[in-house]
Amino acid sequence: MNEEITSKEVRLIDDQGNNHGVVPTSKALKMAEEKDLDLVVVSQNQEPPVCKIMDYGKYKYDLEKKAKEAKKKQHVVSIKEIKVRYKIDTHDYLVRINSIKKFIAQGNKVKVVVMLRGREMQHSKLAFELANKFIEDLKSEPLVVEKKPSLDGRNVVMFFAPQ
């Protein structure tokens, strides 16, 4: 910006957007001072660098405003967790299915954990069957099984993600 520009010549664009071609840096600085504006390097990686005459404070403000808008529009994907036991009742199972559908519709990932306690580890086959039942019942939904059911300690864990 201004005197910090080390190049002898710059490709100049004025505040109206008119291209003045390749101009000595000193002349470009004088033009910017006459208009009471700043000379700002827009593209450093070209030879000679592209500079524009503009109000630097306003330019910086506009960049921050655009960054805020972009941040506001982005959706942060979070992981929702559903914990069940392999002896789950039918109604409770349906409630969990609806919760998974809702979370996927919101664009979140879902971690389903089938918990096994104590001697229930002997019945891990039943936990895997329940996990596969979740997959089977959610086939019609717009989701992907990100991680197939696997034993993780005393739990059978799997992940669903939106398509």
Side-chain angles (χ1 to χ4, degrees):
M1 183 174 122
N2 294 336
E3 283 78 28
E4 296 170 7
I5 299 171
T6 56
S7 178
K8 291 183 171 118
E9 291 182 326
V10 295
R11 188 170 306 276
L12 182 67
I13 299 170
D14 66 9
D15 54 329
Q16 269 80 41
N18 300 326
N19 189 348
H20 290 272
V22 179
V23 184
T25 307
S26 57
K27 183 179 176 189
L29 278 168
K30 283 182 186 174
M31 288 175 68
E33 287 174 12
E34 286 172 7
K35 295 183 178 186
D36 204 26
L37 296 170
D38 300 308
L39 184 66
V40 180
V41 177
V42 178
S43 179
Q44 182 73 42
N45 55 2
Q46 293 184 355
E47 192 56 44
V50 178
C51 293
K52 190 171 183 180
I53 296 174
M54 66 174 81
D55 182 359
Y56 183 69
K58 185 177 183 210
Y59 173 69
K60 196 173 173 185
Y61 171 77
D62 287 341
L63 281 179
E64 288 173 4
K65 196 172 179 183
K66 284 179 186 174
K68 260 187 193 174
E69 280 295 317
K71 190 175 179 182
K72 196 184 289 184
K73 289 180 182 174
Q74 78 183 27
H75 175 70
V76 178
V77 176
S78 60
I79 298 177
K80 302 291 187 180
E81 187 170 355
I82 303 253
K83 287 186 174 184
V84 295
R85 305 269 305 276
Y86 76 88
K87 298 177 189 175
I88 190 169
D89 190 46
T90 309
H91 179 263
D92 295 332
Y93 174 78
L94 294 174
V95 169
R96 299 307 188 282
I97 289 284
N98 288 331
S99 296
I100 292 171
K101 289 177 183 177
K102 184 178 76 174
F103 292 146
I104 292 293
Q106 292 170 354
N108 296 312
K109 292 184 178 182
V110 180
K111 176 182 179 181
V112 178
V113 179
V114 182
M115 300 180 296
L116 298 167
R117 294 185 183 163
R119 293 185 195 163
E120 291 178 355
M121 280 299 291
Q122 297 169 349
H123 305 291
S124 61
K125 188 177 91 176
L126 294 173
F128 277 101
E129 286 175 9
L130 179 65
N132 289 324
K133 187 177 176 192
F134 272 107
I135 294 171
E136 193 63 37
D137 291 346
L138 292 167
K139 269 192 174 164
S140 63
E141 295 301 312
L143 56 82
V144 177
V145 179
E146 202 170 70
K147 183 182 172 206
K148 296 212 180 282
S150 63
L151 197 61
D152 184 21
R154 292 190 155 275
N155 301 320
V156 174
V157 179
M158 65 180 175
F159 284 90
F160 292 109
Q163 273 184 332

